[in-house]
Amino acid sequence: MVGKKSQPSKKAQKKIGKREQSVASEGQTPHPWTEFVEAQSKADGDDKANASLEVGATPGLGPDEMELDEDETPASAAKKEHAQSFSREQEIEKLRTSGSMTQNPAEISRIRNISKVEFGRFVLFPWYFSPYPEVFSQEDCIYICEFCLSYYGDLKSFTRHRMKCTLQHPPGNEIYRDDFVSFYEIDGRRQRTWCRNLCLLSKMFLDHKTLYYDVDPFLFYVMTTRDDRGSHLIGYFSKEKESADGYNVACILTLPQFQRKGYGRILIQFSYELSKIEGKLGSPEKPLSDLGLLSYRQYWSELILDLLLGFSEREEKCTIETISTRLSMTTQDVEHTLQALKMQVYHKGEHKIVIPDKLLQQREKSKTKAKRVIDPERIQWKPPVFTAASRTWGW
Ligand SMILES: [Zn+2]
């Protein structure tokens, strides 16, 4: 069955509604972030007036960005939705049009072709077109094995597959493990089918991704959560084995059933931890998806702010280059974030970085909420070395 509703070109605020459908059987839990956002609103009185003012004043740090990575109540989402659309759309447009990855308009305009997916213990409702074989678009539901990512159009053959399938984790090396998540590194060339299947799965939730078949030049970093049945896919990012432009992430996605729980932030942190080990500055490939952009913006803002606070407490000087080196972020990303937060000023013939009081207060409040982070000490990883031939061809 072909979906009638999900057009990628629709306004971002509309997409939010569609997305919530995909959170399937997971209950909505109110999250501390909501308190943070609400506290912001309360401080200035009327919700709506304040929200519009906020968006106008600091295009990069609307309450929207706080919400997307984390849980929140549907009510508060609805309240904020109207005022957010302005900065959100602007930002998305900016990133979309400045990107290196060419979009294929024909692909984007294609209508969602899969209406329902059974994946592990979740039922997912795709948002976008994904190039599964034509015949699958006629099924009411497709079944995807959550471990090998093979897809089936009928329950009978899927059940037969599950009896035989022995995979219980992604087919690569586990390079990170804490009490909460694991990361696996998977070579697109060595695990071509698995990686193609991952791309097909993720395309259902990404509006702009163009990579499906040529997975060989990429490594995939897959985050899972463990239980007695195995390691369950939460999200991943892909990374070019050698990026001429210095990108440390090509595509990044948290599966919809795990969104708004802070996992996007963990994926982003992990990508920068790898860049630190490599001794490189990293940046995600543009264009980012709208959700991706918002998660990055939030991540960058918080890290830069914390770093600057440290410098100001010690009364040390801090430059854009210092921030860039310390956080393994490119100077462009640092500058872009500082501009969005209105932290760059020109004063008495000098460019200065300032921390507005409002940001300080926001950060203090958000700090009281516990966040899960990657412990860099636990990463068991050396930058892989590829010869020109092994990057794409045989060993
Ligand atoms: Zn399987």
Side-chain angles (χ1 to χ4, degrees):
M1 199 193 94
V2 173
K4 300 174 224 58
K5 296 177 283 187
S6 181
Q7 290 282 2
S9 58
K10 275 196 183 160
K11 291 204 163 148
Q13 63 196 73
K14 287 248 157 113
K15 279 188 234 155
I16 296 281
K18 298 284 181 293
R19 274 168 188 156
E20 276 165 356
Q21 292 174 1
S22 290
V23 186
S25 51
E26 292 286 273
Q28 286 274 358
T29 331
H31 193 276
W33 267 116
T34 317
E35 292 157 32
F36 170 62
V37 172
E38 276 173 357
Q40 245 188 323
S41 304
K42 272 184 208 136
D44 289 274
D46 180 56
D47 267 345
K48 248 188 184 166
N50 176 54
S52 326
L53 193 71
E54 277 291 315
V55 167
T58 50
L61 197 74
D64 194 24
E65 300 189 37
M66 301 304 170
E67 127 204 8
L68 274 152
D69 218 20
E70 308 283 340
D71 283 342
E72 68 161 20
T73 59
S76 64
K79 237 198 299 184
K80 292 195 301 275
E81 193 173 41
H82 173 72
Q84 284 154 15
S85 54
F86 173 67
S87 74
R88 186 185 158 85
E89 301 241 313
Q90 256 194 346
E91 286 297 318
I92 290 163
E93 190 53 31
K94 214 186 284 172
L95 266 260
R96 286 219 167 116
T97 48
S98 65
S100 72
M101 193 192 263
T102 5
Q103 299 194 22
N104 178 348
E107 200 85 301
I108 286 168
S109 62
R110 289 171 85 167
I111 297 169
R112 183 181 54 168
N113 52 336
I114 306 292
S115 44
K116 191 175 159 188
V117 179
E118 261 196 48
F119 182 78
R121 61 189 179 92
F122 299 100
V123 175
L124 311 178
F125 298 92
W127 306 332
Y128 302 110
F129 172 85
S130 179
Y132 281 102
E134 184 74 46
V135 50
F136 284 83
S137 59
Q138 274 129 48
E139 303 293 344
D140 291 333
C141 181
I142 70 167
Y143 303 84
I144 300 179
C145 174
E146 64 162 327
F147 297 112
C148 71
L149 309 182
S150 307
Y151 41 91
Y152 298 87
D154 66 286
L155 187 56
K156 208 174 152 193
S157 41
F158 173 68
T159 311
R160 213 180 304 133
H161 166 79
R162 284 300 307 147
M163 310 270 280
K164 293 184 298 186
C165 184
T166 53
L167 210 59
Q168 283 185 314
H169 58 75
N173 292 330
E174 189 176 357
I175 57 170
Y176 178 85
R177 178 187 283 224
D178 62 23
D179 296 338
F180 181 55
V181 295
S182 284
F183 270 87
Y184 290 82
E185 180 184 59
I186 297 136
D187 184 331
R189 199 192 60 75
R190 300 181 77 175
Q191 297 292 342
R192 205 172 275 152
T193 304
W194 193 90
C195 292
R196 281 179 183 163
N197 285 345
L198 177 64
C199 290
L200 284 172
L201 170 68
S202 63
K203 179 62 192 73
M204 291 192 284
F205 306 101
L206 287 171
D207 54 352
H208 67 292
K209 193 165 172 292
T210 53
L211 161 82
Y212 317 118
Y213 300 108
D214 190 18
V215 293
D216 290 19
F218 293 88
L219 289 164
F220 293 78
Y221 295 92
V222 177
M223 181 167 66
T224 62
T225 172
R226 295 176 308 274
D227 65 16
D228 48 359
R229 291 179 304 122
S231 279
H232 309 276
L233 183 62
I234 300 172
Y236 80 102
F237 62 89
S238 57
K239 176 174 180 172
E240 275 179 281
K241 290 173 181 172
E242 217 142 284
S243 168
D245 302 298
Y247 293 128
N248 66 352
V249 164
C251 265
I252 181 163
L253 177 78
T254 304
L255 286 174
Q257 69 270 32
F258 292 105
Q259 284 178 2
R260 303 183 181 215
K261 293 173 166 45
Y263 289 109
R265 184 188 178 83
I266 304 180
L267 284 170
I268 294 173
Q269 191 202 339
F270 199 81
S271 73
Y272 280 105
E273 296 298 346
L274 296 188
S275 292
K276 275 181 204 165
I277 297 172
E278 290 175 305
K280 289 179 183 169
L281 305 180
S283 180
E285 183 171 332
K286 286 41 161 213
L288 288 160
S289 70
D290 46 2
L291 285 178
L293 168 62
L294 294 172
S295 298
Y296 266 101
R297 264 303 165 73
Q298 189 184 336
Y299 179 82
W300 289 334
S301 304
E302 289 183 9
L303 261 73
I304 290 177
L305 205 53
D306 286 350
L307 189 71
L308 288 175
L309 287 175
F311 273 87
S312 102
E313 271 163 26
R314 297 189 299 273
E315 297 185 5
E316 287 173 39
K317 274 210 157 193
C318 184
T319 63
I320 287 172
E321 282 70 30
T322 316
I323 302 174
S324 158
T325 317
R326 289 283 283 275
L327 302 179
S328 288
M329 283 174 66
T330 60
T331 50
Q332 293 98 305
D333 286 342
V334 173
E335 267 193 278
H336 199 169
T337 310
L338 290 176
Q339 278 162 13
L341 295 176
K342 300 238 183 281
M343 290 173 73
Q344 274 186 310
V345 292
Y346 190 69
H347 181 65
K348 292 183 182 167
E350 258 190 299
H351 286 282
K352 284 184 179 156
I353 301 173
V354 294
I355 308 174
D357 283 344
K358 192 153 201 168
L359 284 182
L360 274 177
Q361 292 159 11
Q362 285 175 2
R363 188 66 192 122
E364 279 311 307
K365 274 178 199 154
S366 74
K367 261 191 198 162
T368 59
K369 322 296 177 194
K371 268 200 191 96
R372 290 183 185 112
V373 290
I374 292 293
D375 172 8
E377 300 279 300
R378 293 180 189 239
I379 301 176
Q380 304 275 319
W381 185 78
K382 277 202 190 97
V385 180
F386 298 96
T387 62
S390 74
R391 265 199 299 279
T392 43
W393 308 103
W395 291 102

